[in-house]
């Protein structure tokens, strides 16, 4: 049974930083993609960043240079370091896991993401 549990969200001022964590359990596939997605009531869910088992990363254009996705395989944990936060980054952030990383336009795609966490709220004011 795969479980993804996010933490690290909160409220921060414009220009501030936050680090999100996603602890994974029950996921033991050799080839995988893990990613961060965000959603607000006004917008559909969008991909933010993704990383595969080779360490290849992909970012939405809107966060390139500000966000960094990383993973600690020993801790089964996925991270999203967010710097220079903007009000438009306000959203519910969810981590997801699947087989292969794909892109939809300039953003990581949720196609193939089979498992999702509950999310952690990030508010930038």
């Amino acid at each position: 049974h795969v479980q993804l549990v996010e933490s690290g969200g909160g409220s921060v001022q414009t220009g501030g930083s936050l680090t999100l964590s996603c602890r994974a359990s029950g996921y033991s596939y050799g080839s995988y993609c893990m990613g961060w997605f965000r959603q607000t009531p006004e917008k559909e869910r969008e991909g933010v960043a993704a990383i595969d088992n080779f360490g290849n990363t992909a970012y939405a254009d809107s966060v390139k240079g500000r966000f960094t996705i990383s993973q600690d395989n020993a801790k089964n944990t996925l991270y999203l370091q967010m710097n220079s936060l903007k009000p438009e980054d306000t959203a519910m952030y969810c981590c997801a896991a699947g087989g292969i990383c794909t892109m939809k336009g300039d953003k990581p795609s949720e196609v193939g993401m089979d498992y999702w966490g509950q999310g952690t709220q990030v508010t930038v004011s």
Side-chain angles (χ1 to χ4, degrees), residues 54-67:
F54 297 106
N56 298 310
T57 58
Y59 297 91
D61 286 351
S62 60
V63 306
K64 282 180 181 176
R66 300 189 298 121
F67 291 11

Side-chain angles (χ1 to χ4, degrees), residues 6-112:
E6 302 94 337
S7 61
S11 296
V12 65
Q13 291 186 334
T14 298
S17 299
L18 281 174
T19 299
L20 306 183
S21 301
C22 173
R23 181 72 184 268
S25 60
Y27 197 83
S28 59
Y29 299 105
S31 175
Y32 63 82
C33 177
M34 294 193 73
W36 288 97
F37 296 78
R38 65 186 182 187
Q39 187 170 21
T40 67
E42 297 79 25
K43 295 172 64 177
E44 65 180 21
R45 187 163 57 193
E46 64 175 5
V48 175
I51 187 168
D52 66 17
N53 53 294
F54 297 106
N56 298 310
T57 58
Y59 297 91
D61 286 351
S62 60
V63 306
K64 282 180 181 176
R66 300 189 298 121
F67 291 11
T68 302
I69 189 170
S70 62
Q71 57 191 349
D72 185 331
N73 291 330
K75 296 181 179 180
N76 293 326
T77 301
L78 179 74
Y79 301 98
L80 185 68
Q81 173 68 45
M82 305 185 294
N83 298 325
S84 302
L85 283 161
K86 304 175 181 179
E88 51 263 45
D89 294 318
T90 294
M92 179 69 75
Y93 284 72
C94 296
C95 70
I100 300 174
C101 289
T102 58
M103 297 293 287
K104 180 180 179 181
D106 71 323
K107 300 179 177 66
S109 173
E110 59 184 80
V111 172

